[in-house]
Amino acid sequence: AAAAAAAAVAMPAFGAEEAAVTAGAAAVEKAGGEPRIPLGGGFAINLDIPETGLVNIVVLIAGLLYLLAPLLSESMSTREKEIQTDIDDAIAKYNEATARLAEAQKAKAQADGVIAEIEASIEKDQKEFKATIETQTEATLEKQAAAAQQALKDLQAGADLKVESYIQEQAIKRGVKELQQLDGDQKAKFMDAAINSL
């Protein structure tokens, strides 16, 4: 006994507990003689149901389930509601995003249509403006050509009148000069010719 006590004092605390458990298990095995399945390290499976307190464990578990079931059920229900709320919010946000996307696509289609109409109108206006400018330019050129032609004709007519007036003037001056240079007989003949021509 003294040697066992000295050994127990010399052992660490964990070793002492393990030794005590092992010794207790061996003593129970020897005393009771019930069947046990050793697992090693001082542990064994006891097959004696009354001794293991299996009924107490079952009653304890059943009591815990009975007492904790409402709390667990309420907690699970609350969590389920939160999850369902999150799912509903996500679905609502998805539907809202889908609706906004559809609206944006519709607005884009309308904007594309308006842009196409504006571009078509601009192209039409450009063609009409070009045609109008070409028509006005052609009419202006024709008017200018006609005015230039008329001015040329007027200049030609004025030049012809000036030339004719100059010729007549020169002819008159020459005739007067020649008349001044005529002698008496020539003047008498000229006068007779002039009277006869009347």
Side-chain angles (χ1 to χ4, degrees):
V9 171
M11 286 178 147
F14 181 74
E17 291 177 2
E18 186 178 352
V21 171
T22 304
V28 170
E29 286 182 6
K30 289 180 181 178
E34 289 85 5
R36 293 189 181 195
I37 300 173
L39 298 176
F43 295 99
I45 297 176
N46 189 358
L47 299 178
D48 185 9
I49 294 177
E51 183 181 339
T52 57
L54 186 60
V55 175
N56 293 336
I57 294 173
V58 171
V59 170
L60 178 62
I61 293 173
L64 289 174
L65 289 176
Y66 178 75
L67 293 174
L68 297 177
L71 295 175
L72 293 174
S73 176
E74 183 178 353
S75 176
M76 293 298 292
S77 176
T78 303
R79 183 61 182 156
E80 182 181 357
K81 288 180 181 178
E82 291 176 357
I83 293 172
Q84 188 62 41
T85 302
D86 293 340
I87 292 173
D88 292 340
D89 290 342
I91 292 173
K93 289 180 180 179
Y94 173 76
N95 292 334
E96 183 180 357
T98 304
R100 288 184 178 180
L101 177 62
E103 291 177 0
Q105 290 176 344
K106 182 178 178 182
K108 182 180 180 298
Q110 291 177 349
D112 291 340
V114 171
I115 290 171
E117 290 179 0
I118 291 173
E119 289 178 349
S121 176
I122 290 173
E123 185 177 358
K124 180 181 177 183
D125 292 342
Q126 286 178 344
K127 289 181 179 178
E128 291 179 354
F129 181 73
K130 182 179 179 182
T132 303
I133 291 297
E134 289 177 351
T135 303
Q136 290 179 353
T137 303
E138 185 177 356
T140 302
L141 291 175
E142 289 178 355
K143 288 179 180 179
Q144 289 178 351
Q149 189 70 25
Q150 185 64 37
L152 185 60
K153 288 180 179 178
D154 292 342
L155 289 174
Q156 185 70 31
D160 291 343
L161 286 175
K162 287 181 179 179
V163 170
E164 185 176 355
S165 297
Y166 178 76
I167 292 172
Q168 289 178 356
E169 182 181 355
Q170 292 297 322
I172 291 171
K173 286 181 179 179
R174 185 175 178 182
V176 169
K177 186 177 180 181
E178 289 179 355
L179 286 175
Q180 289 176 353
Q181 293 176 355
L182 292 177
D183 56 9
D185 293 334
Q186 289 176 340
K187 288 180 180 180
K189 289 180 180 179
F190 177 77
M191 291 299 292
D192 292 337
I195 290 170
N196 289 331
S197 63
L198 295 175

